[in-house]
């Protein structure tokens, strides 16, 4: 082939070979091919190359490339009710964690208040025990007596303190019982809905197969 | 096979419809991958990847030639594989000859239905052509594989490589020219009827 053959002629010959040029261009090229033997030889070479390539044996695919559902991550179509159960599971789970968190916070704050509450009662208790002192201490002076509790501000007795403590404890246990019940209910709903979802998924998968 | 109806079914999620298309095009896809990559195992993997990604992105197919669209996918898969090979070069699993050298074109892969002489001849020609194809720049190789080996028309090739028609013409012409130069080195292997004209002219002038 002529080393100086320009790119334009080469493209023209190649496209002519594949009948990809306009009829007018083809006619002009054919006219040139009549007298330009080098151009004709190049066309022959390109044709031979194309023929060699087309003779290349076509290999059969070594295996079938058909796809399975797993390969493309396809899931079986699920019934609409599945979405409702999924929503319920999510909501119940969130509420479970919410109540759990709230319960934790409440019991923590109660513990803190309980830790703070016994101090005044202890102080009062100390005062109550000192109430009997004047009877057995004749040498006690008036200013000392003035510090004792009067009728208007009765000092809580041991029974009152115990009742108050019982009341607080009952409140605490009642609150924790209520929130535990809610937690259990939410957990139960979440687990049940999850189980129903699994069953629905299994049924859909079996039907799909 | 009603291709458009099958494609519509695939867009509605029908895997069976897609598998019908796979069976129709798998040989073409595999051959393109084989000629671009030059390795049967890699070509099979690239073909499988092509069909998986084609199924997943079928919504992006906006009509036209499905074959060209599929060829674009396989070309991309091959380019990815070649890039991966560049990053992580591997040692080919090929049998050793008696002298310990690797046999580049193992005979044990050849179709057993032909005679040994035919097998040898066909294997040598194929090896020579593959050698010349591998020597081409990737973009030239892709075009020549699609146009000359797969027999796709220029418009389909242009769609497959996302290039203008003029680029296809230019790349194909230059690829053929380079192949001609390369194949001259294997002139003895080629069947007489396919010998290059200029080569024959050169011989007769001597």
């Amino acid at each position: 082939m002529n080393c100086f053959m320009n790119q334009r002629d080469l493209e023209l010959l190649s496209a002519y070979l594949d009948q990809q040029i306009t009829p007018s261009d083809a006619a002009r090229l054919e006219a040139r091919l009549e007298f330009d033997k080098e151009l004709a030889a190049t066309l022959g070479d390109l044709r031979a190359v194309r023929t060699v390539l087309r003779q290349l044996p076509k290999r059969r695919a070594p295996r079938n490339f058909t796809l399975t559902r797993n390969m493309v991550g396809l899931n079986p179509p699920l019934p609409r009710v599945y979405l409702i159960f999924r929503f319920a599971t999510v909501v119940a789970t969130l509420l479970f964690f919410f109540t759990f968190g709230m319960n934790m916070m409440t019991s923590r704050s109660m513990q803190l208040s309980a830790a703070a509450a016994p101090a005044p009662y202890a102080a009062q208790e100390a005062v109550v025990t000192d109430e009997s002192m004047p009877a057995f201490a004749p040498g006690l002076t008036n200013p000392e007596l003035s510090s004792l509790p009067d009728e208007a501000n009765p000092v809580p007795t041991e029974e009152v303190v115990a009742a108050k403590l019982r009341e607080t404890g009952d409140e605490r246990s009642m609150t924790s019982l209520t929130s535990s019940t809610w937690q259990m209910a939410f957990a139960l709903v979440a687990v049940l809905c999850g189980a129903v979802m699994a069953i629905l998924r299994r049924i859909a998968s079996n039907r799909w197969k | 096979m009603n291709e458009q109806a099958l494609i519509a079914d695939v867009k509605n999620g029908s895997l069976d419809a897609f598998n019908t298309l796979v069976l129709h095009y798998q040989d073409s896809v595999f051959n393109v991958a084989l000629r671009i990559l030059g390795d049967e195992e890699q070509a099979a993997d690239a073909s499988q990847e092509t069909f998986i990604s084609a199924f997943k992105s079928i919504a992006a197919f906006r009509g036209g030639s499905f074959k060209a669209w599929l060829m674009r996918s396989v070309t991309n898969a091959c380019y990815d594989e070649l890039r991966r090979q560049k990053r992580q070069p591997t040692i080919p699993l090929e049998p050793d000859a008696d002298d310990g050298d690797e046999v580049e074109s193992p005979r044990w892969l050849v179709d057993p239905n032909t005679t040994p002489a035919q097998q040898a001849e066909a294997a040598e020609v194929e090896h020579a052509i593959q050698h010349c194809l591998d020597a081409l720049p990737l973009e030239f190789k892709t075009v020549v594989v699609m146009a000359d080996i797969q027999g796709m028309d220029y418009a389909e090739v242009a769609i497959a490589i996302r290039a203008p028609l003029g680029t296809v013409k230019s790349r194909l012409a230059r690829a053929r020219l380079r192949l001609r130069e390369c194949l001259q080195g294997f002139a003895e292997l080629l069947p007489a009827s396919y010998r290059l004209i200029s080569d024959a002219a050169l011989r007769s002038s001597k």
Side-chain angles (χ1 to χ4, degrees), chain A residues 78-98:
Chain A
L78 296 165
R80 198 168 287 177
V81 72
Y82 182 87
L83 292 175
I84 296 167
F85 279 104
R86 190 166 68 179
F87 179 72
T89 309
V90 171
V91 170
T93 309
L94 287 174
L95 285 172
F96 170 76
F97 283 112
F98 177 73

Side-chain angles (χ1 to χ4, degrees), chain B:
Chain B
M1 185 181 76
N2 186 347
E3 195 173 280
Q4 293 309 315
L6 285 171
I7 292 166
D9 288 347
V10 176
K11 284 187 173 179
N12 288 327
S14 170
L15 191 61
D16 290 339
F18 187 76
N19 281 336
T20 308
L21 292 168
V22 170
L23 291 173
H24 186 72
Y25 286 113
Q26 63 181 3
D27 287 341
S28 299
V29 166
F30 174 72
N31 274 282
V32 168
L34 179 66
R35 296 304 166 202
I36 292 177
L37 294 170
D39 180 90
E40 201 162 334
E41 274 301 312
Q42 288 173 7
D45 289 347
S47 303
Q48 190 70 79
E49 279 301 314
T50 298
F51 287 118
I52 291 171
S53 74
F55 181 78
K56 286 180 176 173
S57 58
I58 192 74
F61 177 65
R62 304 259 178 247
S65 168
F66 183 70
K67 186 181 181 182
W69 186 75
L70 214 49
M71 290 304 160
R72 185 194 299 169
S73 292
V74 72
T75 309
N76 289 338
C78 290
Y79 288 0
D80 288 346
E81 175 59 26
L82 291 171
R83 273 194 291 269
R84 194 190 61 78
Q85 281 176 24
K86 262 189 182 175
R87 285 198 304 269
Q88 301 164 334
T90 54
I91 301 163
L93 183 63
E94 287 179 338
D96 286 348
D98 294 338
D99 56 0
D101 290 339
E102 280 177 357
V103 178
E104 287 184 21
S105 180
R107 296 281 185 272
W108 42 268
L109 288 176
V110 175
D111 182 4
N113 295 329
T114 51
T115 65
Q118 285 173 322
Q119 284 176 15
E121 192 180 330
E124 280 177 355
V125 171
E126 193 177 346
H127 182 235
I129 296 169
Q130 188 64 50
H131 172 83
C132 290
L133 282 173
D134 289 343
L136 290 175
L138 190 55
E139 61 270 27
F140 287 9
K141 180 158 66 170
T142 306
V143 170
V144 86
V145 164
M146 287 185 189
D148 282 347
I149 298 178
Q150 285 302 310
M152 290 167 67
D153 62 40
Y154 285 19
E156 280 184 318
V157 177
I159 292 169
I161 65 166
R162 287 184 181 181
L165 214 58
T167 306
V168 174
K169 283 183 186 178
S170 165
R171 285 182 186 174
L172 187 59
R174 288 159 75 185
R176 283 170 173 168
L177 181 67
R178 289 195 187 201
L179 280 172
R180 174 201 162 275
E181 286 161 5
C182 178
L183 286 170
Q184 273 182 332
F186 297 95
E188 299 300 325
L189 294 175
L190 300 175
S193 53
Y194 305 139
R195 295 243 168 97
L196 305 177
I197 308 291
S198 57
D199 186 47
L202 192 71
R203 280 160 190 272
S204 62
S205 66
K206 279 183 182 176

